[in-house]
């Protein structure tokens, strides 16, 4: 939906996909440093950035640092308070442990409506409707990410996300109204940290707008980066 009108670069975070892990602690600051180096090394100054979940927090961190152009962040982390932090870490860790236990059954489970509904209930407003091949790819990737536990620990116990009133471009923060991982109440805190940002609500949508509302998610991105 985006590639016909914009050049799209997909980046594996360190320790994800085919990218080697970082040495030392898997912190947001270290990941953001790695992304900054990637941008500089590839002459991408002023590039528009889009991220979801951890990726959303990272593009907001780049905007806070004055890096990049326009920014779109879907359901970013780092704006939890109190018990919400425990909820985030404990429920996500339990979900990932289950996925790892079922790893060799993922191809079959992904084809089953009831299994998709059970495994992805926290992340999607209607997981049973998701494309089985998307589900298989996502669950396989989650199970194979060796740095996940260390990253989750750093996210939960590290500093909250700081903001800025002077980002390098337009900022849109999107949030699913049925996000059961990063609760919708956190959206107002994100907007307060980035007071010039536009807050877009996705109805009938869970943690990943690109899953539940892909057309709308693409439209929001294009409106932000094209003005």
């Amino acid at each position: 939906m985006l590639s016909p009108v914009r050049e799209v670069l997909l980046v594996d975070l360190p320790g994800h996909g085919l990218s080697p892990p970082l040495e030392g602690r898997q912190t947001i600051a270290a990941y953001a440093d790695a992304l900054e180096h990637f941008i500089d090394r590839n002459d991408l100054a002023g590039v528009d950035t889009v991220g979801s979940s951890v990726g959303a927090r990272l593009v907001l961190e780049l905007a806070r640092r004055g890096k990049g152009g326009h920014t779109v962040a879907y359901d970013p982390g780092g704006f939890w308070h109190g018990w919400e932090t425990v909820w985030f870490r404990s429920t996500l860790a339990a979900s990932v442990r289950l996925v790892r236990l079922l790893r060799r059954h993922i191809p079959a489970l992904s084809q089953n409506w009831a299994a998709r509904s059970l495994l992805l209930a926290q992340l999607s407003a209607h997981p049973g409707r998701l494309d089985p091949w998307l589900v298989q790819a996502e669950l396989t990737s989650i199970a194979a990410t060796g740095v996940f536990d260390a990253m989750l620990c750093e996210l939960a116990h590290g500093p909250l996300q700081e903001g800025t009133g002077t980002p390098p471009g337009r900022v849109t923060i999107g949030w699913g109204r049925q996000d059961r991982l990063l609760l919708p109440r956190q959206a107002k805190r994100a907007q307060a940290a980035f007071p010039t940002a536009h807050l877009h609500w996705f109805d009938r949508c869970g943690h990943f707008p690109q899953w539940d509302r892909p057309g709308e998610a693409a439209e929001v991105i294009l409106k932000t980066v094209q003005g």
Side-chain angles (χ1 to χ4, degrees):
M1 296 180 184
L2 297 174
S3 56
V5 292
R6 293 287 300 233
E7 181 180 9
V8 178
L9 301 176
L10 300 178
V11 179
D12 286 335
L13 293 179
H16 297 68
L18 299 178
S19 295
L22 295 172
E23 295 183 5
R25 295 172 58 184
Q26 307 296 306
T27 64
I28 285 294
Y31 280 20
D33 290 343
L35 287 174
E36 275 204 61
H37 294 155
F38 176 84
I39 290 171
D40 293 339
R41 188 169 63 248
N42 291 279
D43 297 323
L44 295 172
V47 66
D48 299 323
T49 58
V50 179
S52 176
S53 194
V54 175
R57 180 170 181 183
L58 284 167
V59 297
L60 287 179
E61 173 60 16
L62 291 178
R64 185 193 71 80
R65 298 181 180 193
K67 201 76 175 179
H70 306 305
T71 303
V72 179
Y74 289 150
D75 298 69
F79 299 101
W80 39 64
H81 286 176
W83 66 268
E84 298 166 356
T85 310
V86 179
W87 171 262
F88 159 74
R89 183 181 183 185
S90 60
T91 58
L92 187 56
S95 296
V96 172
R97 282 196 297 269
L98 178 60
V99 169
R100 288 172 178 162
L101 287 172
L102 299 173
R103 184 172 182 175
R104 64 191 183 94
H105 302 293
I106 286 175
L109 292 171
S110 299
Q111 301 297 318
N112 183 277
W113 182 93
R116 294 196 301 273
S117 298
L118 175 64
L119 291 173
L120 296 174
Q122 190 178 25
L123 301 178
S124 172
H126 39 79
R129 302 180 197 171
L130 296 177
D131 184 293
W133 301 109
L134 167 69
V135 172
Q136 180 176 333
E138 293 291 338
L139 293 181
T140 300
S141 176
I142 290 171
T145 302
V147 300
F148 180 85
D149 294 337
M151 181 183 69
L152 182 59
C153 180
E154 292 289 351
L155 287 171
H157 295 294
L160 297 178
Q161 180 59 49
E162 298 180 10
T164 179
T166 56
R170 290 182 292 276
V171 176
T172 297
I173 297 172
W175 222 286
R177 291 192 184 275
Q178 283 75 47
D179 190 338
R180 302 182 184 98
L181 179 64
L182 302 182
L183 305 180
R185 70 178 74 189
Q186 297 171 27
K188 292 294 184 181
R189 301 172 197 154
Q191 189 180 36
F194 293 85
T196 63
H198 169 68
L199 178 58
H200 180 90
W201 288 105
F202 288 92
D203 295 322
R204 302 181 302 282
C205 180
H207 184 59
F208 293 119
Q210 67 272 25
W211 287 7
D212 290 346
R213 310 287 292 176
E216 184 180 353
E219 181 181 351
V220 170
I221 293 169
L222 290 177
K223 283 185 176 179
T224 301
V225 301
Q226 295 178 343

